[in-house]
Amino acid sequence: MKPAANITPLPDSKTMAEDSQLDAFLGYHLKRASHAVQVDLAQTLAPFDLRMITFSALAVIVKNAGLRQSQLADALEIERPNLVVVIDELETQGLIVRKQVPHDRRAYALHPTKDGKAHFADVVEAVKAHEARLFAEFSQEERATLRSALLKIEAQRGMK
Amino acid sequence: MKPAANITPLPDSKTMAEDSQLDAFLGYHLKRASHAVQVDLAQTLAPFDLRMITFSALAVIVKNAGLRQSQLADALEIERPNLVVVIDELETQGLIVRKQVPHDRRAYALHPTKDGKAHFADVVEAVKAHEARLFAEFSQEERATLRSALLKIEAQRGMK
DNA sequence: TATTGTTATACTCTATAACTATA
DNA sequence: TATAGTTATAGAGTATAACAATA
């Protein structure tokens, strides 16, 4: 658990350069931590033929069967155009279906298939294991504190 | 500070879909929080003609004048090929220079220019203000806790 | 043989404008 | 007019293979 080296000269050696200025920014560590988790998650999901975004979409669809694509886009905070390929991918894999909405022929309701629900149940266990492994050294209190901190940051969106 | 809605039916209305399963994953919130910060940082840096990666590189170069590109790549944890365009960009802007290394003609030493140092001093104040604004509601203790949590997660890299 | 910087390339993520068909 | 889904596209970010020059 050595502190980040804060070197001033260092040009000639093979030592690791580190920078106290960047180190002081929480945003910098937020990005690096997020990236580390995403890499690990991608490896976790690969055997299930899912990406992070398809996993997230499937999760919301399984728990909110019948929602429309625009609702899903809002929930995941992604742009509608980017959602189209996600839905296509999940539908091609037979995990969800697009159904016509009775009184609005513009909209599609998203439903998980039986396979989709079963597949998700398996995947979610793998993702839980991935999280348990990544946060193994975190106490329940630390997790709760981290969680509330992240939610507070998320809430800043668009509050310029 | 309302808790995330955990809806079960919801198909027909215009209500926000939310998912308890995703909500339970720290990685999910880590990604969303990180994205929110990156968007805000990009807006902060735009007036200075910097991106997050060029800002980060400049920060390390200013504090570690003379380091080689491979050292910078290691420090920022980015691949060497991706660093090339970053260095090109900073050099074109006149913020840094590539200098030949005396006893190794393969390598380049990176040095900030006078302009580069002055520009960085300005930018870093703007970035500090950006962080102060984003984390305004965080106590010093909360910041320290968040920081150590993020460092712990970063340390997981490659520890499969 | 190994390393430094580079080129080429590709894949993912994200964002915007504009279209269609409906409402 | 406005909305839902779509198409096309463009810009970042990230990753790998392979090369030339040098060690």
Side-chain angles (χ1 to χ4, degrees):
Chain A
M1 205 58 71
K2 67 178 188 323
N6 180 11
I7 302 155
T8 312
L10 123 129
D12 26 48
S13 82
K14 290 234 172 197
T15 24
M16 178 69 115
E18 198 51 67
D19 184 88
S20 64
Q21 195 78 69
L22 282 185
D23 188 63
F25 291 122
L26 281 171
Y28 182 66
H29 293 291
L30 195 55
K31 184 191 185 305
R32 287 169 71 124
S34 176
H35 184 243
V37 171
Q38 285 182 59
V39 167
D40 197 284
L41 177 59
Q43 291 171 352
T44 301
L45 293 175
F48 298 92
D49 290 316
L50 289 176
R51 299 180 285 140
M52 174 164 39
I53 187 63
T54 53
F55 167 74
S56 301
L58 183 58
V60 176
I61 295 167
V62 165
K63 296 289 175 182
N64 300 279
L67 87 170
R68 289 178 286 112
Q69 290 184 207
S70 54
Q71 289 176 301
L72 179 55
D74 287 347
L76 297 177
E77 286 186 47
I78 71 172
E79 299 301 320
R80 267 81 71 203
N82 298 327
L83 188 59
V84 174
V85 291
V86 172
I87 299 301
D88 284 348
E89 197 170 318
L90 289 171
E91 195 166 34
T92 300
Q93 291 173 306
L95 302 175
I96 67 164
V97 288
R98 276 185 249 234
K99 291 185 183 173
Q100 281 289 344
V101 169
H103 298 300
D104 188 340
R105 296 199 316 198
R106 295 171 304 179
Y108 290 104
L110 305 173
H111 291 269
T113 62
K114 192 181 171 188
D115 273 7
K117 281 184 272 193
H119 195 60
F120 180 72
D122 292 340
V123 178
V124 84
E125 289 310 310
V127 175
K128 281 180 182 171
H130 138 89
E131 283 245 333
R133 179 163 37 79
L134 278 179
F135 299 102
E137 292 178 28
F138 286 66
S139 68
Q140 281 309 115
E141 189 191 347
E142 280 178 303
R143 291 173 209 218
T145 304
L146 175 58
R147 188 174 184 284
S148 78
L150 295 174
L151 290 175
K152 248 201 278 190
I153 298 168
E154 285 180 58
Q156 298 286 330
R157 281 201 64 142
M159 295 186 77
K160 290 210 72 171
Chain B
M1 203 58 72
K2 68 178 190 323
N6 181 11
I7 302 154
T8 313
L10 123 129
D12 26 46
S13 81
K14 289 234 170 191
T15 23
M16 177 69 117
E18 198 51 67
D19 183 86
S20 65
Q21 195 78 69
L22 282 185
D23 188 63
F25 290 123
L26 281 171
Y28 182 67
H29 293 291
L30 194 54
K31 183 189 187 306
R32 287 169 70 124
S34 176
H35 184 244
V37 172
Q38 285 182 61
V39 167
D40 196 283
L41 178 59
Q43 290 171 352
T44 300
L45 293 174
F48 298 92
D49 289 316
L50 289 175
R51 300 179 285 141
M52 174 163 41
I53 186 63
T54 53
F55 167 75
S56 301
L58 183 58
V60 176
I61 295 167
V62 165
K63 297 289 177 185
N64 301 280
L67 88 169
R68 288 178 288 110
Q69 290 184 206
S70 54
Q71 290 177 301
L72 180 56
D74 287 347
L76 297 177
E77 286 185 47
I78 71 173
E79 299 301 319
R80 266 80 72 206
N82 297 328
L83 188 58
V84 175
V85 292
V86 171
I87 299 302
D88 285 348
E89 197 170 319
L90 289 171
E91 197 167 33
T92 300
Q93 291 174 305
L95 302 176
I96 67 164
V97 288
R98 277 185 249 236
K99 291 184 182 174
Q100 282 289 344
V101 169
H103 299 301
D104 188 340
R105 297 198 315 196
R106 295 171 304 179
Y108 289 104
L110 304 173
H111 291 269
T113 62
K114 193 182 169 188
D115 272 8
K117 282 184 272 193
H119 196 60
F120 180 72
D122 292 339
V123 178
V124 84
E125 289 310 309
V127 175
K128 281 179 183 172
H130 138 90
E131 283 245 334
R133 179 163 37 80
L134 278 178
F135 299 102
E137 291 179 29
F138 286 67
S139 69
Q140 281 309 117
E141 189 191 348
E142 280 177 303
R143 291 174 209 220
T145 304
L146 175 58
R147 188 173 183 285
S148 79
L150 295 174
L151 290 174
K152 247 202 276 189
I153 298 168
E154 285 179 58
Q156 298 286 331
R157 280 201 64 140
M159 293 186 80
K160 290 210 73 170

